[in-house]
Amino acid sequence: MTYIIIVLKFIVSISLINVWLIQKDAPTKWRGGNAQNLKQEFEVYGLPAWMLYVVGVLKVVLALCLLASIWFTLLAQPAALALAVLLLGSIIMHFKINDPLYKSMPAAIFLVLCLIIAFSDQIIA
């Protein structure tokens, strides 16, 4: 089971880093409304411009902490729970603008993965 949690940490971390640093300007079918990039997506949600940077920094830092938790296990639960809160916010924003349900699926999947990571000690025990 430990190896599965390590794989989940890696998948969640690399995926979030990819979205926020590599694919930030790329259009995807998952973006809110008809947004073509992250900046437009936050505008569609009606969020202030500074929120993009706050959420982006938080997600990247927490993703790096989750990745580091492979070696420093004490980081796992706080990083995974904080990411879960941010991912819940993503889902709420999709619902706020009446996006089709499929647009919330990546955030929902990663939310569940973060909860599995956060509570893996209880699940395994």
Side-chain angles (χ1 to χ4, degrees):
M1 185 65 137
T2 303
Y3 292 114
I4 293 171
I5 299 302
I6 290 171
V7 169
L8 294 181
K9 289 176 181 181
F10 186 79
I11 290 169
V12 171
S13 299
I14 297 305
S15 296
L16 289 172
I17 290 167
N18 177 55
V19 167
W20 282 90
L21 297 180
I22 298 168
Q23 300 292 325
K24 66 181 176 19
D25 293 321
T28 73
K29 67 180 181 178
W30 314 110
R31 298 228 184 270
N34 294 317
Q36 299 297 302
N37 57 48
L38 277 172
K39 183 179 180 193
Q40 289 177 8
E41 189 170 10
F42 273 65
E43 290 170 0
V44 167
Y45 296 144
L47 298 170
W50 60 265
M51 185 74 80
L52 168 70
Y53 301 103
V54 170
V55 171
V57 167
L58 285 173
K59 282 193 177 180
V60 170
V61 168
L62 290 167
L64 291 171
C65 288
L66 194 60
L67 194 59
S69 78
I70 294 171
W71 300 277
F72 305 101
T73 56
L74 288 175
L75 294 172
Q77 191 170 46
L81 289 174
L83 281 170
V85 169
L86 292 171
L87 290 161
L88 180 60
S90 299
I91 295 166
I92 290 168
M93 289 295 108
H94 282 290
F95 282 116
K96 175 186 172 192
I97 63 167
N98 296 314
D99 264 342
L101 189 58
Y102 78 88
K103 289 194 176 198
S104 301
M105 291 313 295
I109 290 167
F110 284 111
L111 169 62
V112 170
L113 294 179
C114 283
L115 292 175
I116 291 169
I117 293 165
F119 297 108
S120 61
D121 289 344
Q122 289 86 0
I123 295 169
I124 295 170

